[in-house]
Amino acid sequence: MDLSKPQLFRCEIEKGIARISHDRPERKNPFTFDSYAELRDWFRALVYSDDIHAVVILPNGGNFSSGGDVHEIIGPLTRMSMKELLTFTRMTGDLVKAMIGCGKPVIAAVDGVCAGAGAIMAMASDLRLATPEAKTAFLFNRVGLAGCDMGACAILPRIIGQGRAADLLYTGRAMSAAEGEAWGFFNRVVEAGALEAEAIKLAERIAAGPTFANSMTKTMLAQEWSMSLEQAIEAEAQAQAICMQGNDFRRAYEAFVAKEKPVFEGD
């Protein structure tokens, strides 16, 4: 898969950073069946890329994403069989699994509407920035569905806490940017005009670091959810020993001795 040329969303790759965004600003960037699948496949392929070291998901036209398209997804779903519905819900969940398993830090830059599957993509990212105008809603309850969609009941409580997650998932209400920052969902809130620059700056800082080690950090953050403390400590011992065999560890030591800033190469 050519990661630089997706068909259904925007993508620009420069200096090891991929900038992606939905490409339907006139509709507040909704998902379609096909865009779900292409994003899933793109993140699945990302794990094999040596040229991309961080991903920034950007808004387009002042909005992040309004979630599933009412006419192109919601309507057709009401006419599907149980087997077809399960195929769909497994596919959307696979997008989250692909984001978590892609091996690259993912930064969500949220502005305007961030709802449904859009909110899930922000949730599944490693870091999140927002503008004061960002409104994030896990609105499944408002369309007659459970809040347990695409991993929300597993991931969201780990970010903001069980009670706050329950509030959002039971009511479907929008979380303001100020709430999101206070609750730890957003790492910080910045003005709309600075959002992309701040997200790219953060991505550049991460991409300039030891990229193999960053990939290991992302893997451990995901895998240790289901480990006991004893298992987690052992897994981290093994992961760190692997990183200690890398050249970036040696480069960091040599740079420290020489009183220089290390230049990491990810090997």
Side-chain angles (χ1 to χ4, degrees):
M1 181 179 183
D2 187 344
L3 295 174
S4 66
K5 296 180 179 179
Q7 301 298 308
L8 301 174
F9 61 94
R10 299 171 62 184
C11 179
E12 178 183 345
I13 300 171
E14 184 179 359
K15 297 179 180 179
I17 298 168
R19 310 181 194 195
I20 67 172
S21 62
H22 290 273
D23 198 19
R24 301 178 72 192
E26 73 285 354
R27 298 283 300 278
K28 298 182 181 178
N29 303 311
F31 285 77
T32 65
F33 291 116
D34 290 338
S35 66
Y36 265 123
E38 187 174 38
L39 279 163
R40 174 204 61 195
D41 293 344
W42 190 86
F43 277 103
R44 280 178 173 174
L46 186 60
V47 71
Y48 303 108
S49 171
D50 291 328
D51 301 322
I52 298 174
H53 305 305
V55 178
V56 178
I57 309 174
L58 293 166
N60 186 5
N63 293 293
F64 191 74
S65 172
S66 57
D69 189 287
V70 172
H71 301 294
E72 296 184 41
I73 288 186
I74 307 301
L77 288 177
T78 65
R79 299 185 292 273
M80 287 186 183
S81 68
M82 178 59 71
K83 182 178 179 180
E84 291 171 324
L85 291 169
L86 187 54
T87 296
F88 169 72
T89 54
R90 283 174 171 165
M91 184 264 286
T92 62
D94 281 344
L95 169 57
V96 172
K97 290 190 283 186
M99 290 179 65
I100 293 171
C102 73
K104 322 291 180 179
V106 179
I107 300 166
V110 179
D111 189 18
V113 173
C114 177
I120 294 290
M121 277 197 79
M123 177 195 75
S125 299
D126 298 281
L127 298 161
R128 289 162 292 276
L129 306 182
T131 69
E133 293 73 33
K135 300 293 184 183
T136 306
F138 298 84
L139 47 66
F140 310 107
N141 173 274
R142 288 162 56 185
V143 297
L145 296 176
C148 55
D149 198 80
M150 299 172 72
C153 284
I155 301 173
L156 190 60
R158 289 183 168 93
I159 301 172
I160 65 173
Q162 186 82 5
R164 290 164 176 166
D167 174 9
L168 298 181
L169 297 177
Y170 277 125
T171 67
R173 72 171 183 85
M175 173 178 61
S176 70
E179 282 180 313
E181 183 177 32
W183 292 357
F185 187 82
F186 293 119
N187 294 86
R188 63 180 180 272
V189 174
V190 301
E191 292 301 318
L195 179 65
E196 181 171 351
E198 286 296 309
I200 297 302
K201 181 179 177 181
L202 180 56
E204 288 174 341
R205 178 175 181 178
I206 292 170
T211 53
F212 176 80
N214 286 343
S215 176
M216 191 68 78
T217 298
K218 176 156 184 158
T219 298
M220 289 295 100
L221 281 169
Q223 291 187 356
E224 290 182 38
W225 286 359
S226 57
M227 293 181 185
S228 67
L229 180 58
E230 183 175 337
Q231 290 170 326
I233 291 173
E234 174 58 23
E236 290 192 4
Q238 295 180 20
Q240 201 71 301
I242 292 170
C243 290
M244 287 174 178
Q245 289 188 312
N247 290 323
D248 276 345
F249 183 55
R250 174 183 52 79
R251 292 186 185 100
Y253 168 72
E254 291 174 351
F256 178 82
V257 171
K259 297 183 179 181
E260 298 174 348
K261 183 178 180 179
V263 177
F264 298 116
E265 297 183 22
D267 59 345

